Short mmCIF file of all heavy atoms in Angstrom, two decimals:
data_model
loop_
_atom_site.label_atom_id
_atom_site.label_comp_id
_atom_site.label_asym_id
_atom_site.label_seq_id
_atom_site.Cartn_x
_atom_site.Cartn_y
_atom_site.Cartn_z
N SER A 253 1.58 6.71 6.04
CA SER A 253 0.32 6.37 6.72
C SER A 253 -0.02 4.89 6.55
O SER A 253 -0.47 4.23 7.48
CB SER A 253 -0.82 7.25 6.21
OG SER A 253 -1.17 6.93 4.87
N ILE A 254 0.19 4.35 5.34
CA ILE A 254 -0.09 2.93 5.11
C ILE A 254 0.83 2.07 5.96
O ILE A 254 0.40 1.10 6.60
CB ILE A 254 0.09 2.58 3.61
CG1 ILE A 254 -1.02 3.23 2.78
CG2 ILE A 254 0.08 1.07 3.40
CD1 ILE A 254 -0.86 3.05 1.29
N ASN A 255 2.11 2.42 6.01
CA ASN A 255 3.07 1.64 6.78
C ASN A 255 2.73 1.64 8.26
O ASN A 255 2.73 0.58 8.92
CB ASN A 255 4.47 2.19 6.56
CG ASN A 255 5.53 1.38 7.28
OD1 ASN A 255 5.64 0.17 7.11
ND2 ASN A 255 6.34 2.05 8.10
N GLU A 256 2.39 2.81 8.80
CA GLU A 256 2.12 2.92 10.23
C GLU A 256 0.84 2.19 10.63
O GLU A 256 0.78 1.58 11.71
CB GLU A 256 2.05 4.39 10.64
CG GLU A 256 3.40 5.10 10.59
CD GLU A 256 3.32 6.51 11.14
OE1 GLU A 256 2.29 6.85 11.77
OE2 GLU A 256 4.29 7.27 10.96
N PHE A 257 -0.18 2.24 9.79
CA PHE A 257 -1.46 1.63 10.18
C PHE A 257 -1.55 0.15 9.81
O PHE A 257 -2.00 -0.67 10.62
CB PHE A 257 -2.62 2.38 9.53
CG PHE A 257 -3.96 1.82 9.91
CD1 PHE A 257 -4.54 2.12 11.14
CD2 PHE A 257 -4.66 0.98 9.05
CE1 PHE A 257 -5.77 1.59 11.50
CE2 PHE A 257 -5.89 0.44 9.39
CZ PHE A 257 -6.45 0.76 10.63
N PHE A 258 -1.15 -0.22 8.61
CA PHE A 258 -1.40 -1.57 8.11
C PHE A 258 -0.28 -2.56 8.41
O PHE A 258 -0.52 -3.77 8.38
CB PHE A 258 -1.61 -1.54 6.59
CG PHE A 258 -2.90 -0.91 6.17
CD1 PHE A 258 -2.95 0.44 5.84
CD2 PHE A 258 -4.07 -1.65 6.09
CE1 PHE A 258 -4.15 1.02 5.45
CE2 PHE A 258 -5.26 -1.08 5.69
CZ PHE A 258 -5.31 0.26 5.37
N CYS A 259 0.92 -2.08 8.68
CA CYS A 259 2.06 -2.99 8.75
C CYS A 259 2.49 -3.39 10.15
O CYS A 259 3.43 -4.17 10.31
CB CYS A 259 3.25 -2.40 7.99
SG CYS A 259 2.93 -2.24 6.22
N ALA A 260 1.82 -2.86 11.17
CA ALA A 260 2.14 -3.26 12.54
C ALA A 260 1.83 -4.75 12.73
O ALA A 260 0.72 -5.20 12.47
CB ALA A 260 1.34 -2.42 13.53
N GLU A 261 2.83 -5.50 13.14
CA GLU A 261 2.70 -6.93 13.42
C GLU A 261 2.36 -7.76 12.18
O GLU A 261 1.96 -8.92 12.29
CB GLU A 261 1.64 -7.18 14.51
CG GLU A 261 1.94 -6.49 15.82
CD GLU A 261 0.87 -6.72 16.86
OE1 GLU A 261 -0.05 -7.52 16.58
OE2 GLU A 261 0.95 -6.13 17.94
N ARG A 262 2.53 -7.19 11.00
CA ARG A 262 2.29 -7.96 9.78
C ARG A 262 3.50 -8.86 9.52
O ARG A 262 4.64 -8.43 9.57
CB ARG A 262 2.09 -7.00 8.59
CG ARG A 262 1.72 -7.70 7.28
CD ARG A 262 1.49 -6.68 6.19
NE ARG A 262 0.24 -5.96 6.37
CZ ARG A 262 -0.91 -6.35 5.85
NH1 ARG A 262 -0.98 -7.45 5.11
NH2 ARG A 262 -2.00 -5.65 6.06
N LYS A 263 3.23 -10.12 9.19
CA LYS A 263 4.30 -11.11 9.02
C LYS A 263 4.92 -11.08 7.63
O LYS A 263 6.05 -11.53 7.44
CB LYS A 263 3.77 -12.50 9.34
CG LYS A 263 3.34 -12.67 10.80
CD LYS A 263 2.85 -14.08 11.07
CE LYS A 263 2.44 -14.24 12.53
NZ LYS A 263 1.94 -15.61 12.80
N SER A 264 4.19 -10.60 6.65
CA SER A 264 4.70 -10.54 5.28
C SER A 264 4.47 -9.13 4.74
O SER A 264 3.58 -8.40 5.22
CB SER A 264 4.01 -11.58 4.40
OG SER A 264 2.62 -11.39 4.38
N PRO A 265 5.22 -8.70 3.75
CA PRO A 265 5.08 -7.34 3.21
C PRO A 265 3.68 -7.08 2.65
O PRO A 265 3.06 -7.98 2.07
CB PRO A 265 6.12 -7.28 2.09
CG PRO A 265 7.10 -8.37 2.40
CD PRO A 265 6.31 -9.44 3.07
N LEU A 266 3.20 -5.87 2.83
CA LEU A 266 1.93 -5.46 2.24
C LEU A 266 2.20 -4.95 0.84
O LEU A 266 3.01 -4.04 0.64
CB LEU A 266 1.27 -4.37 3.08
CG LEU A 266 0.01 -3.72 2.49
CD1 LEU A 266 -1.09 -4.75 2.28
CD2 LEU A 266 -0.47 -2.57 3.37
N LYS A 267 1.52 -5.51 -0.14
CA LYS A 267 1.73 -5.11 -1.53
C LYS A 267 0.88 -3.90 -1.86
O LYS A 267 -0.29 -3.83 -1.50
CB LYS A 267 1.41 -6.28 -2.47
CG LYS A 267 2.34 -7.47 -2.30
CD LYS A 267 1.95 -8.60 -3.20
CE LYS A 267 2.97 -9.73 -3.14
NZ LYS A 267 3.12 -10.31 -1.79
N ILE A 268 1.48 -2.94 -2.56
CA ILE A 268 0.76 -1.74 -2.98
C ILE A 268 1.13 -1.41 -4.42
O ILE A 268 2.15 -1.86 -4.95
CB ILE A 268 1.05 -0.52 -2.07
CG1 ILE A 268 2.52 -0.12 -2.15
CG2 ILE A 268 0.65 -0.82 -0.63
CD1 ILE A 268 2.83 1.16 -1.37
N GLY A 269 0.30 -0.61 -5.05
CA GLY A 269 0.56 -0.16 -6.42
C GLY A 269 -0.37 0.99 -6.75
O GLY A 269 -1.22 1.37 -5.94
N SER A 270 -0.23 1.54 -7.94
CA SER A 270 -1.05 2.66 -8.36
C SER A 270 -1.30 2.60 -9.86
O SER A 270 -0.36 2.51 -10.65
CB SER A 270 -0.39 3.99 -8.00
OG SER A 270 -1.07 5.07 -8.60
N VAL A 271 -2.57 2.67 -10.24
CA VAL A 271 -2.93 2.63 -11.67
C VAL A 271 -2.40 3.86 -12.41
O VAL A 271 -2.29 3.86 -13.64
CB VAL A 271 -4.46 2.51 -11.82
CG1 VAL A 271 -5.14 3.84 -11.48
CG2 VAL A 271 -4.84 2.07 -13.24
N LYS A 272 -2.02 4.88 -11.68
CA LYS A 272 -1.50 6.10 -12.32
C LYS A 272 -0.17 5.85 -13.03
O LYS A 272 0.21 6.60 -13.93
CB LYS A 272 -1.39 7.21 -11.28
CG LYS A 272 -2.74 7.61 -10.71
CD LYS A 272 -2.62 8.52 -9.52
CE LYS A 272 -4.00 8.77 -8.90
NZ LYS A 272 -4.62 7.55 -8.36
N SER A 273 0.54 4.81 -12.62
CA SER A 273 1.78 4.47 -13.33
C SER A 273 1.47 3.89 -14.71
O SER A 273 2.29 3.94 -15.61
CB SER A 273 2.60 3.47 -12.52
OG SER A 273 2.02 2.18 -12.55
N ASN A 274 0.27 3.34 -14.86
CA ASN A 274 -0.12 2.69 -16.11
C ASN A 274 -0.82 3.64 -17.08
O ASN A 274 -0.66 3.53 -18.29
CB ASN A 274 -1.06 1.51 -15.84
CG ASN A 274 -0.50 0.54 -14.81
OD1 ASN A 274 -0.77 0.67 -13.64
ND2 ASN A 274 0.29 -0.42 -15.26
N MET A 275 -1.62 4.56 -16.54
CA MET A 275 -2.45 5.40 -17.41
C MET A 275 -2.34 6.89 -17.13
O MET A 275 -2.94 7.69 -17.84
CB MET A 275 -3.93 4.99 -17.26
CG MET A 275 -4.48 5.14 -15.85
SD MET A 275 -6.27 4.97 -15.74
CE MET A 275 -6.78 6.58 -16.36
N GLY A 276 -1.57 7.28 -16.13
CA GLY A 276 -1.55 8.68 -15.74
C GLY A 276 -2.61 8.95 -14.69
O GLY A 276 -3.35 8.06 -14.27
N HIS A 277 -2.70 10.20 -14.27
CA HIS A 277 -3.61 10.60 -13.20
C HIS A 277 -4.86 11.22 -13.79
O HIS A 277 -4.83 12.30 -14.39
CB HIS A 277 -2.90 11.59 -12.29
CG HIS A 277 -3.65 11.95 -11.05
ND1 HIS A 277 -4.83 11.33 -10.67
CD2 HIS A 277 -3.39 12.88 -10.08
CE1 HIS A 277 -5.26 11.85 -9.54
NE2 HIS A 277 -4.40 12.79 -9.16
N SER A 278 -5.98 10.54 -13.63
CA SER A 278 -7.26 11.05 -14.16
C SER A 278 -7.97 11.95 -13.16
O SER A 278 -9.17 12.22 -13.31
CB SER A 278 -8.16 9.89 -14.57
OG SER A 278 -8.37 9.01 -13.48
#
């Protein structure tokens, strides 16, 4: 969903991440 909506005609990669990798899922 992020790729389809945010990345159309984007000239540089969209950076993403998740705090769950750092602390787990609260």
